[in-house]
Amino acid sequence: FMKMTVDKNACIGCGACAALVPDEFELNDSGVAYAKNETVKEDLQDDVKTAMENCPTGAISIEE
Ligand code: SF4
């Protein structure tokens, strides 16, 4: 399984991850992204990797 976390201190709230994978990322009331699920759904793992690669601040980490 894959776990994904967002470093809330690094996230600038650009929303790119949530736009790309709305089932896995959401912005909270403070405009910081967080992982919606305990583990990443199998069919969304590639998309989450893409989101991680495209995050402008490198705030997303993946653990497999
Ligand atoms: Fe935050 Fe990165 Fe997502 Fe932008 S792409 S909202 S900086 S985690």
Side-chain angles (χ1 to χ4, degrees):
F1 65 91
M2 177 196 279
K3 277 190 151 185
M4 174 268 293
T5 52
V6 176
D7 179 347
K8 62 181 191 314
N9 296 313
C11 173
I12 56 169
C14 73
C17 56
L20 189 68
V21 205
D23 283 346
E24 295 292 342
F25 296 93
E26 197 162 64
L27 297 189
N28 68 16
D29 291 341
S30 311
V32 173
Y34 65 94
K36 292 174 76 174
N37 306 306
E38 185 76 19
T39 58
V40 177
K41 292 176 193 144
E42 205 151 321
D43 57 332
L44 294 176
Q45 292 183 352
D46 285 346
D47 289 345
V48 167
K49 281 181 190 167
T50 302
M52 178 183 73
E53 285 158 9
N54 289 310
C55 173
T57 63
I60 302 167
S61 325
I62 285 173
E63 208 181 293
E64 287 185 89

